[in-house]
Amino acid sequence: MKWLSRGMWSAVVLAYALVIFAYALPQDFRDRNEAYLWATWVAFMVRTFSLHIGLVLLIIAGVGLRKRMRRVALAAAPLAIFVMGPTLYDARPKSPPPIDGPSFKLLSMNLLYTNRHFDEILAEIRRVNPDVLFLQEYSSDWYIALSAALSQEYKYNAESVYDNPFGQAIFSRIPFEGKPEYLRIGYVETPQQRIVIKLGGRPIALYNIHLVPPHAIHVMGERRLQFAELLDHLDHDPLPTLISGDFNLTNTSAQAAALMQRGYRDVSQIDGWGLCDTWTVRGLWRYVPIPGVRIDHIYLSPKLTAHDAATGAGSGSDHRPVMAEIGLMKTGP
């Protein structure tokens, strides 16, 4: 029994230390010091998997109560509530603000550039029937599979074809106001896209985003710089703004906190219910009864709202797509 008690106490103490570190670490998205980047990587992973840390702590609390180790149970429970709270709060059913005037449906999909489920993806696009379609990991194979099939129905498009994970495309039934912009953020050449459309005669800016993933320490500086420069664009954009795509971060991250400080909200925080996780749906993860994480988002600036927020299937991809009906928020009676 002593080994069990010591193991549980060690896990609880480690969890407290990691969570305090993750949330207390100052965030400078432009700092590329290697030691600092290691620290941000640890903090990022802790905040990304905060729900999972909470589930482990709940198990420890339950075992503690069952084995009459009440002190360890009482120590684990508050931290479990703290780390799980934001995700569970966002999972509650919601009543979104009404839309003022016309709206449009957006579908954003990470295709997975090695995915060969072309017909299934095209069928899902047609089933959802979006007015604006954002695509990430848009390779030459996906260009062949989708461009001709979609361009008759979606007459306005912007395509950047890359045979790696960073090609992107926008297909729209709604005319663009001016030419699409291709934004260079960070040092890696990844074609972030910006278009402007009109909604009820009022222009809004739409960004199609794919940030590099945090798979190694050498890219942490790049992805954080990408985010810092994205914030620069958003801070100087005069229009109501939507940013969507594969951000490779969750709503519990420091980056999402920076967006929310600016008034942005994920559509899953405005409408819908449930965990709304989007990754990963491939490999062994799909056979394990553990929640995924939401790293694909549609973030809206304060003047916009969303109805019918949902996730899709994304056949063959490791991501589920995200979708919502978007419109300007009604401000008066």
Side-chain angles (χ1 to χ4, degrees):
M1 191 68 73
K2 284 185 178 180
W3 66 266
L4 179 60
S5 176
R6 289 172 181 171
M8 291 195 301
W9 272 113
S10 297
V12 170
V13 171
L14 178 62
Y16 268 97
L18 288 173
V19 170
I20 291 170
F21 172 79
Y23 283 87
L25 181 70
Q27 296 292 331
D28 180 351
F29 296 119
R30 286 183 166 84
D31 190 334
R32 298 173 70 86
N33 177 273
E34 185 174 356
Y36 177 70
L37 292 179
W38 274 107
T40 64
W41 184 83
V42 172
F44 178 82
M45 291 301 174
V46 170
R47 293 177 70 151
T48 296
F49 295 103
S50 58
L51 177 66
H52 305 80
I53 293 171
L55 290 172
V56 172
L57 290 168
L58 282 183
I59 292 170
I60 290 173
V63 172
L65 289 174
R66 185 176 179 84
K67 298 292 185 180
R68 296 184 179 180
M69 301 175 185
R70 290 179 180 153
R71 289 183 180 178
V72 71
L74 288 172
L79 185 59
I81 293 169
F82 174 79
V83 294
M84 297 177 71
T87 301
L88 296 180
Y89 180 77
D90 287 346
R92 76 197 190 285
K94 308 165 192 74
S95 298
I99 291 174
D100 183 17
S103 62
F104 69 95
K105 180 177 284 187
L106 173 74
L107 172 65
S108 178
M109 309 180 78
N110 182 315
L111 299 166
L112 184 61
Y113 77 107
T114 58
N115 183 6
R116 294 295 179 267
H117 292 239
F118 304 120
D119 291 340
E120 292 96 326
I121 290 290
L122 185 58
E124 182 167 17
I125 293 169
R126 287 178 169 154
R127 183 169 61 253
V128 175
N129 194 29
D131 301 297
V132 179
L133 173 65
F134 281 5
L135 300 173
Q136 300 91 45
E137 302 205 23
Y138 188 69
S139 65
S140 56
D141 288 336
W142 281 106
Y143 171 80
I144 293 168
L146 296 181
S147 187
L150 294 174
S151 55
Q152 287 188 347
E153 186 175 356
Y154 295 88
K155 298 187 181 299
Y156 309 95
N157 57 69
E159 297 172 277
S160 296
V161 180
Y162 283 60
D163 284 324
N164 61 35
F166 296 106
Q168 292 182 213
I170 299 173
F171 291 87
S172 177
R173 292 193 180 104
I174 305 170
F176 298 161
E177 296 295 310
K179 293 182 179 180
E181 296 179 54
Y182 297 88
L183 309 177
R184 177 74 176 266
I185 57 175
Y187 296 117
V188 176
E189 187 177 351
T190 54
Q192 319 296 333
Q193 298 170 308
R194 179 185 182 273
I195 62 169
V196 176
I197 64 172
K198 279 190 175 178
L199 197 59
R202 291 176 283 185
I204 64 170
L206 280 58
Y207 290 74
N208 184 18
I209 298 297
H210 188 188
L211 303 181
V212 296
H215 60 267
I217 193 63
H218 71 273
V219 300
M220 283 301 292
E222 171 62 22
R223 62 178 271 106
R224 289 172 66 83
L225 180 61
Q226 281 188 321
F227 187 77
E229 294 185 354
L230 173 61
L231 289 181
D232 289 343
H233 283 284
L234 299 178
D235 289 342
H236 292 91
D237 202 316
L239 301 178
T241 304
L242 173 154
I243 51 175
S244 183
D246 175 8
F247 289 77
N248 280 304
L249 54 85
T250 67
N251 284 334
T252 54
S253 67
Q255 289 89 336
L259 287 173
M260 292 172 195
Q261 287 170 1
R262 289 163 168 80
Y264 285 85
R265 288 188 296 167
D266 189 325
V267 294
S268 68
Q269 298 170 320
I270 299 172
D271 187 37
W273 64 279
L275 295 179
C276 303
D277 55 303
T278 65
W279 184 89
T280 174
V281 292
R282 288 171 62 88
L284 293 176
W285 192 282
R286 59 184 162 175
Y287 303 112
V288 180
I290 298 174
V293 291
R294 183 179 180 87
I295 62 174
D296 303 84
H297 305 276
I298 304 171
Y299 287 114
L300 305 180
S301 68
K303 293 183 180 180
L304 297 172
T305 188
H307 287 201
D308 302 324
T311 57
S315 180
S317 179
D318 54 344
H319 294 247
R320 292 186 181 93
V322 291
M323 64 194 81
E325 192 78 21
I326 310 295
L328 289 155
M329 188 184 301
K330 189 172 183 179
T331 55

